[in-house]
Amino acid sequence: MIRVVIADDQALVRGGFRAILENDGDIEVIAEANDGLEAVEACLRLRPEVVLMDVRMPHLDGLAAARRLLAGDSAPLRVLMLTTFDLDEYVYAALRAGASGFLLKDTPADQLAPAVRTVAAGQALLAPSVTRRLIERFAQQPVTTGVPGERLARLTERETDVLRAMARALTNAEIARELHLSEATVKTHITHLLAKLGLRDRVQAVVLAYEEGLVRPGASDLPFTTR
């Protein structure tokens, strides 16, 4: 079972999300939270696998709550941000906080449970409109020659190759085939590069790869899963 906490300041929204998710036999909603403080308390107490986190909430907003929950070394938690607004600052703040997904509240109901499963499995997920804007933002940044900057210089040549492939949205199996490695070796490289860069997961690693200019955005290089 995927254990989920729903955090939103509107009771009707929480109830709607609960009804949608509990129709799926492999998802259990274990708590609801009315604001960011309640969300943090519930997650620390109950240790869910995923929290659906609204961005705008009283007392403590969703971004601040996500930062608190993802800052420590506690049990793995995946944060799926939900909001009515697809403003750029929310996207970047959520990703840098370590959120695994960002969906708009007008996402079709039948896509919510698959989104929860996606982030619970450790993958990244963004709404298509958010992904497009994120890519456009990266495309506007100064282009480098692809030579790692000071931070990426900590990586070995092979780890850099793996990070570049991750940023091109390749799966571990696809990376293994392209680099002629085993999947186990790819996973080891990912673990090492995340540790060296001080990153929580591959979402943050991909964002860093684009920010550092290690890869350039292109039509076939979407860095995130879209639904």
Side-chain angles (χ1 to χ4, degrees), residues 71-103:
D73 297 323
S74 57
L77 171 68
R78 303 295 178 180
V79 176
L80 179 57
M81 304 298 299
L82 288 157
T83 183
T84 307
F85 310 95
D86 64 342
L87 300 180
D88 291 338
E89 57 265 31
Y90 291 158
V91 177
Y92 308 132
L95 293 177
R96 292 191 177 101
S100 295
F102 194 105
L103 286 181

Side-chain angles (χ1 to χ4, degrees), residues 2 9 59 65 88-89 92 102 105 110 147 151 166-167 171 182 192-193 214:
I2 301 173
D9 60 342
H59 306 305
D88 291 338
E89 57 265 31
Y92 308 132
F102 194 105
K105 287 185 178 179
D110 61 358
V147 177
R151 191 172 182 186
M166 289 167 57
T171 65
S182 69
H192 289 169
L193 70 87
L214 182 65

Side-chain angles (χ1 to χ4, degrees), residues 2 16 37 53-54 77 80 98 108 151 170-171 185 203 212 220:
I2 301 173
L37 290 176
M53 187 83 75
D54 187 24
L77 171 68
L80 179 57
R151 191 172 182 186
L170 299 186
T171 65
T185 299
V203 184
E212 291 288 320
S220 62

Side-chain angles (χ1 to χ4, degrees), residues 158-172 174-176 178-179 186 202 206 209-210 214-215 221-223:
R158 183 56 83 190
E159 288 166 351
T160 302
D161 291 339
V162 170
L163 176 57
R164 187 179 289 110
M166 289 167 57
R168 290 169 45 218
L170 299 186
T171 65
N172 287 356
E174 291 168 338
I175 295 173
E178 181 169 294
L179 299 181
V186 170
R202 63 193 298 152
V206 169
Y210 274 84
L214 182 65
V215 288
D221 290 338
L222 296 180

